Amino acid sequence: RLEVPLALDCQPLVDKAYFEVLIRVANARLDENAARVARLWQRLREALTFQGPDVADSAEPWVLLCPQSLARPVKLALEERQWLDESRKMQPLAEGSQEEELRD
């Protein structure tokens, strides 16, 4: 985290060389974070890619559990990445159903 005062009352507090160093440090941190996000999406893609027979032919259903408050954002993100299709759908889990069994 960079919290550095660079000016006070519209007057620079640091010279140009120091300011350029701060820019390089901040840009390096942005690059690191972008790489982390890219790795996260790659790992999610790998984890969510079904390897085997068609999901519709599978005896075991795929279930994605998330808090109700996140259901819509998760669904929109999966649709945006074209992961939800006719063989993979989201639906609410009925209260008292197999939720406890699925968590084990």
Side-chain angles (χ1 to χ4, degrees), residues 48-68:
L48 295 175
T49 300
F50 184 73
Q51 312 253 333
D54 188 11
V55 175
D57 297 336
S58 176
E60 295 293 321
W62 283 43
V63 177
L64 175 62
L65 292 177
C66 67
Q68 181 66 34

Side-chain angles (χ1 to χ4, degrees), residues 46-92:
E46 290 169 1
L48 295 175
T49 300
F50 184 73
Q51 312 253 333
D54 188 11
V55 175
D57 297 336
S58 176
E60 295 293 321
W62 283 43
V63 177
L64 175 62
L65 292 177
C66 67
Q68 181 66 34
S69 62
L70 295 177
R72 181 165 171 72
V74 167
K75 180 180 180 189
L76 292 174
L78 293 173
E79 286 175 341
E80 181 180 320
R81 285 156 187 83
Q82 299 176 350
W83 191 79
L84 290 180
D85 58 23
E86 291 304 313
S87 65
R88 300 179 202 108
K89 295 186 179 191
M90 267 183 83
Q91 61 185 20

